[in-house]
Amino acid sequence: MTDKPAAGRVLLSMTGMHPKRWYDLLAKERTVVLEPDGPEDPTIDYAVVWKQPPGLLSRLPNLKAIFSIGAGVDHILADPHLPDAPIVRVVAENLTQYMVEYVSWRVLDHHRQGITYRAQQAEKRWHEPPQPPANEVAVGIMGLGVLGRAAATALKALGFTVNGWSRRERRLDGVNGFSGEAGLTPFLAATDILVVLLPLTPATTGIIDHGLLSRLRQDGPLGGPCLINAGRGPLQKEADILRALEEGTLKEASLDVFEREPLDKQSRLWTHPRVFLTPHAAASSDPAHLVPPMLAQMAAFERGEPLKNLVDREAGY
């Protein structure tokens, strides 16, 4: 009979975020440190990170798993000295619900012509433009992971036609599925409101460019296509989005993420009349909801159970 393993120590490393709430919640069940002890620290079993300094995790010779604080993991994979330890994606009902709320809000705002009505209110103008029903409007979701599938289900319930595109074929009841390079152009041509929830990988960096936007349906019921990016900022080329807006290839855009964050105050996106911005707030990482699943995974792993929601390093998500 073997002794129960001691609860492994946790390294918490966060750049651009305050660690206190994360630290306090993790420390209820684990010994937590903010820096390794010395050039190498064999006492740390787990790392909970957001944009950790390059090379930091390579100083942990007994590291058993890396937990991402955010939904994406590109901030972890960017480390050229990343050790060969499993990476766990964060999956929590709260995070998914936030994203579903954001996507539904922005889709409905574009569908019900929120930008037009806000401009009319500022001008004290009384005018009702034509309003198509939801079933005549096609929402296309790029990325059918946990967040994309949940958003698709919510949008179907609202009556929209829903298209889905992913690198590899994924099937979802009631969603028109497209996949791979061969499926991208037909997907875009059938889409009025494009929702981007892709992971950031070398293959998806800069994918939202002028060429892609010009392939969206131009003769749809909204008078032009709309873009919603709640995925990752480097997926988009902001100069191309502005170009598409100016020439009319794109009617409107809702952007929650940007190539560089915070968004430069000189960016024309701030003041463009057909752009709606939020400060990377679509699905905020709330430690009260994200720490318990992390602690549960650590405890289960120490009981001999496999880790869940693992990242495929080759695919990048």
Side-chain angles (χ1 to χ4, degrees), residues 13-40:
S13 178
M14 306 168 66
T15 300
M17 300 173 68
H18 199 285
K20 185 178 188 310
R21 289 185 66 207
W22 296 87
Y23 184 99
D24 290 346
L25 289 166
L26 287 163
K28 289 182 177 181
E29 297 186 20
R30 300 274 162 171
T31 300
V32 184
V33 297
L34 300 178
E35 290 285 346
D37 294 338
E40 287 196 350

Tab-separated table of all heavy atoms in Angstrom, residues 13-40:
chain	number	residue	atom	x	y	z
A	13	SER	N	2.019	32.573	-11.912
A	13	SER	CA	2.754	33.604	-12.651
A	13	SER	C	1.795	34.321	-13.591
A	13	SER	O	1.240	33.704	-14.508
A	13	SER	CB	3.911	32.986	-13.441
A	13	SER	OG	4.590	33.979	-14.182
A	14	MET	N	1.594	35.621	-13.365
A	14	MET	CA	0.625	36.383	-14.144
A	14	MET	C	1.239	37.718	-14.551
A	14	MET	O	1.746	38.441	-13.711
A	14	MET	CB	-0.643	36.631	-13.316
A	14	MET	CG	-1.255	35.371	-12.747
A	14	MET	SD	-2.538	35.722	-11.510
A	14	MET	CE	-3.758	36.494	-12.541
A	15	THR	N	1.176	38.032	-15.835
A	15	THR	CA	1.639	39.319	-16.337
A	15	THR	C	0.431	40.140	-16.750
A	15	THR	O	-0.413	39.666	-17.514
A	15	THR	CB	2.579	39.136	-17.542
A	15	THR	OG1	3.715	38.365	-17.142
A	15	THR	CG2	3.044	40.486	-18.072
A	16	GLY	N	0.330	41.357	-16.222
A	16	GLY	CA	-0.779	42.235	-16.579
A	16	GLY	C	-2.056	41.975	-15.807
A	16	GLY	O	-3.095	42.560	-16.122
A	17	MET	N	-2.006	41.120	-14.819
A	17	MET	CA	-3.169	40.823	-13.988
A	17	MET	C	-2.715	40.793	-12.532
A	17	MET	O	-1.586	40.396	-12.237
A	17	MET	CB	-3.801	39.477	-14.360
A	17	MET	CG	-4.289	39.390	-15.790
A	17	MET	SD	-4.840	37.715	-16.249
A	17	MET	CE	-6.291	37.542	-15.234
A	18	HIS	N	-3.611	41.185	-11.615
A	18	HIS	CA	-3.248	41.165	-10.204
A	18	HIS	C	-3.457	39.761	-9.651
A	18	HIS	O	-4.527	39.173	-9.825
A	18	HIS	CB	-4.077	42.174	-9.417
A	18	HIS	CG	-3.460	42.533	-8.099
A	18	HIS	ND1	-3.496	41.680	-7.010
A	18	HIS	CD2	-2.776	43.628	-7.703
A	18	HIS	CE1	-2.861	42.241	-5.993
A	18	HIS	NE2	-2.410	43.424	-6.385
A	19	PRO	N	-2.460	39.194	-8.972
A	19	PRO	CA	-2.546	37.784	-8.564
A	19	PRO	C	-3.301	37.513	-7.269
A	19	PRO	O	-3.547	36.355	-6.949
A	19	PRO	CB	-1.075	37.395	-8.398
A	19	PRO	CG	-0.409	38.654	-7.953
A	19	PRO	CD	-1.121	39.761	-8.698
A	20	LYS	N	-3.706	38.530	-6.504
A	20	LYS	CA	-4.156	38.288	-5.136
A	20	LYS	C	-5.337	37.320	-5.045
A	20	LYS	O	-5.308	36.356	-4.273
A	20	LYS	CB	-4.523	39.603	-4.436
A	20	LYS	CG	-4.874	39.394	-2.949
A	20	LYS	CD	-5.184	40.681	-2.237
A	20	LYS	CE	-5.340	40.457	-0.731
A	20	LYS	NZ	-6.244	39.366	-0.361
A	21	ARG	N	-6.392	37.565	-5.809
A	21	ARG	CA	-7.575	36.695	-5.713
A	21	ARG	C	-7.235	35.267	-6.147
A	21	ARG	O	-7.708	34.296	-5.554
A	21	ARG	CB	-8.716	37.245	-6.558
A	21	ARG	CG	-9.340	38.521	-5.996
A	21	ARG	CD	-10.540	38.928	-6.811
A	21	ARG	NE	-11.616	37.958	-6.705
A	21	ARG	CZ	-12.543	37.747	-7.649
A	21	ARG	NH1	-12.481	38.418	-8.790
A	21	ARG	NH2	-13.500	36.853	-7.480
A	22	TRP	N	-6.429	35.147	-7.201
A	22	TRP	CA	-6.010	33.825	-7.652
A	22	TRP	C	-5.181	33.138	-6.566
A	22	TRP	O	-5.409	31.959	-6.256
A	22	TRP	CB	-5.187	33.944	-8.939
A	22	TRP	CG	-5.960	34.494	-10.087
A	22	TRP	CD1	-6.142	35.809	-10.417
A	22	TRP	CD2	-6.696	33.734	-11.060
A	22	TRP	NE1	-6.920	35.917	-11.536
A	22	TRP	CE2	-7.274	34.676	-11.959
A	22	TRP	CE3	-6.902	32.376	-11.274
A	22	TRP	CZ2	-8.055	34.279	-13.041
A	22	TRP	CZ3	-7.672	31.974	-12.350
A	22	TRP	CH2	-8.243	32.918	-13.213
A	23	TYR	N	-4.262	33.893	-5.981
A	23	TYR	CA	-3.401	33.349	-4.932
A	23	TYR	C	-4.237	32.873	-3.747
A	23	TYR	O	-4.060	31.751	-3.247
A	23	TYR	CB	-2.407	34.422	-4.479
A	23	TYR	CG	-1.395	33.950	-3.457
A	23	TYR	CD1	-0.107	33.584	-3.846
A	23	TYR	CD2	-1.733	33.851	-2.110
A	23	TYR	CE1	0.824	33.148	-2.915
A	23	TYR	CE2	-0.809	33.410	-1.175
A	23	TYR	CZ	0.462	33.064	-1.576
A	23	TYR	OH	1.371	32.621	-0.646
A	24	ASP	N	-5.151	33.713	-3.278
A	24	ASP	CA	-5.944	33.378	-2.093
A	24	ASP	C	-6.775	32.114	-2.306
A	24	ASP	O	-6.887	31.270	-1.411
A	24	ASP	CB	-6.861	34.544	-1.719
A	24	ASP	CG	-6.097	35.745	-1.184
A	24	ASP	OD1	-4.901	35.588	-0.856
A	24	ASP	OD2	-6.691	36.841	-1.102
A	25	LEU	N	-7.362	31.971	-3.490
A	25	LEU	CA	-8.205	30.799	-3.753
A	25	LEU	C	-7.372	29.530	-3.912
A	25	LEU	O	-7.738	28.468	-3.399
A	25	LEU	CB	-9.051	31.043	-5.007
A	25	LEU	CG	-10.165	32.084	-4.832
A	25	LEU	CD1	-10.719	32.506	-6.185
A	25	LEU	CD2	-11.289	31.527	-3.959
A	26	LEU	N	-6.250	29.625	-4.619
A	26	LEU	CA	-5.377	28.464	-4.758
A	26	LEU	C	-4.792	28.047	-3.413
A	26	LEU	O	-4.650	26.854	-3.117
A	26	LEU	CB	-4.236	28.772	-5.739
A	26	LEU	CG	-4.603	28.836	-7.221
A	26	LEU	CD1	-3.501	29.538	-8.018
A	26	LEU	CD2	-4.856	27.436	-7.782
A	27	ALA	N	-4.470	29.039	-2.573
A	27	ALA	CA	-3.820	28.762	-1.286
A	27	ALA	C	-4.742	28.082	-0.280
A	27	ALA	O	-4.276	27.592	0.752
A	27	ALA	CB	-3.283	30.065	-0.691
A	28	LYS	N	-6.026	28.011	-0.574
A	28	LYS	CA	-6.936	27.290	0.324
A	28	LYS	C	-6.634	25.795	0.349
A	28	LYS	O	-6.932	25.111	1.320
A	28	LYS	CB	-8.389	27.517	-0.103
A	28	LYS	CG	-8.891	28.929	0.178
A	28	LYS	CD	-10.346	29.084	-0.227
A	28	LYS	CE	-10.858	30.487	0.117
A	28	LYS	NZ	-12.293	30.639	-0.248
A	29	GLU	N	-6.041	25.297	-0.754
A	29	GLU	CA	-5.756	23.864	-0.821
A	29	GLU	C	-4.307	23.548	-1.153
A	29	GLU	O	-3.889	22.391	-1.033
A	29	GLU	CB	-6.664	23.191	-1.859
A	29	GLU	CG	-8.144	23.265	-1.520
A	29	GLU	CD	-8.999	22.474	-2.487
A	29	GLU	OE1	-8.453	21.574	-3.176
A	29	GLU	OE2	-10.206	22.750	-2.551
A	30	ARG	N	-3.528	24.555	-1.564
A	30	ARG	CA	-2.169	24.308	-2.031
A	30	ARG	C	-1.197	25.327	-1.450
A	30	ARG	O	-1.590	26.440	-1.074
A	30	ARG	CB	-2.102	24.414	-3.555
A	30	ARG	CG	-2.991	23.425	-4.282
A	30	ARG	CD	-2.301	22.105	-4.471
A	30	ARG	NE	-3.251	21.038	-4.771
A	30	ARG	CZ	-2.895	19.813	-5.143
A	30	ARG	NH1	-1.611	19.512	-5.269
A	30	ARG	NH2	-3.788	18.891	-5.363
A	31	THR	N	0.058	24.944	-1.429
A	31	THR	CA	1.111	25.920	-1.158
A	31	THR	C	1.416	26.622	-2.469
A	31	THR	O	1.729	25.979	-3.471
A	31	THR	CB	2.378	25.238	-0.622
A	31	THR	OG1	2.058	24.564	0.599
A	31	THR	CG2	3.471	26.260	-0.369
A	32	VAL	N	1.309	27.952	-2.463
A	32	VAL	CA	1.442	28.734	-3.691
A	32	VAL	C	2.643	29.669	-3.571
A	32	VAL	O	2.850	30.298	-2.530
A	32	VAL	CB	0.165	29.563	-3.952
A	32	VAL	CG1	0.276	30.307	-5.285
A	32	VAL	CG2	-1.073	28.668	-3.948
A	33	VAL	N	3.424	29.754	-4.644
A	33	VAL	CA	4.557	30.681	-4.687
A	33	VAL	C	4.448	31.520	-5.956
A	33	VAL	O	3.854	31.088	-6.951
A	33	VAL	CB	5.910	29.950	-4.649
A	33	VAL	CG1	6.067	29.177	-3.341
A	33	VAL	CG2	6.057	29.010	-5.848
A	34	LEU	N	5.014	32.716	-5.913
A	34	LEU	CA	4.993	33.608	-7.063
A	34	LEU	C	6.286	33.580	-7.866
A	34	LEU	O	6.333	34.095	-8.980
A	34	LEU	CB	4.700	35.045	-6.610
A	34	LEU	CG	3.355	35.240	-5.901
A	34	LEU	CD1	3.201	36.695	-5.463
A	34	LEU	CD2	2.192	34.826	-6.793
A	35	GLU	N	7.310	32.982	-7.302
A	35	GLU	CA	8.592	32.823	-7.985
A	35	GLU	C	9.206	31.497	-7.563
A	35	GLU	O	9.019	31.054	-6.422
A	35	GLU	CB	9.564	33.948	-7.606
A	35	GLU	CG	9.198	35.312	-8.170
A	35	GLU	CD	9.503	35.433	-9.655
A	35	GLU	OE1	10.235	34.561	-10.186
A	35	GLU	OE2	9.013	36.390	-10.276
A	36	PRO	N	9.941	30.827	-8.453
A	36	PRO	CA	10.655	29.608	-8.041
A	36	PRO	C	11.721	29.935	-7.000
A	36	PRO	O	12.228	31.064	-6.941
A	36	PRO	CB	11.295	29.114	-9.347
A	36	PRO	CG	10.576	29.813	-10.443
A	36	PRO	CD	10.117	31.128	-9.881
A	37	ASP	N	12.042	28.948	-6.198
A	37	ASP	CA	13.116	29.094	-5.213
A	37	ASP	C	14.443	28.779	-5.896
A	37	ASP	O	14.809	27.614	-6.048
A	37	ASP	CB	12.892	28.143	-4.027
A	37	ASP	CG	11.658	28.503	-3.239
A	37	ASP	OD1	11.216	29.661	-3.323
A	37	ASP	OD2	11.114	27.613	-2.542
A	38	GLY	N	15.153	29.801	-6.329
A	38	GLY	CA	16.454	29.594	-6.942
A	38	GLY	C	16.389	29.330	-8.431
A	38	GLY	O	15.325	29.339	-9.047
A	39	PRO	N	17.547	29.078	-9.059
A	39	PRO	CA	17.618	28.836	-10.503
A	39	PRO	C	16.784	27.642	-10.949
A	39	PRO	O	16.274	27.616	-12.063
A	39	PRO	CB	19.112	28.596	-10.753
A	39	PRO	CG	19.792	29.252	-9.605
A	39	PRO	CD	18.886	29.099	-8.431
A	40	GLU	N	16.672	26.631	-10.069
A	40	GLU	CA	15.799	25.495	-10.323
A	40	GLU	C	15.012	25.213	-9.059
A	40	GLU	O	15.536	25.343	-7.952
A	40	GLU	CB	16.590	24.249	-10.737
A	40	GLU	CG	17.145	24.318	-12.149
A	40	GLU	CD	17.570	22.945	-12.637
A	40	GLU	OE1	17.605	21.997	-11.823
A	40	GLU	OE2	17.846	22.812	-13.844
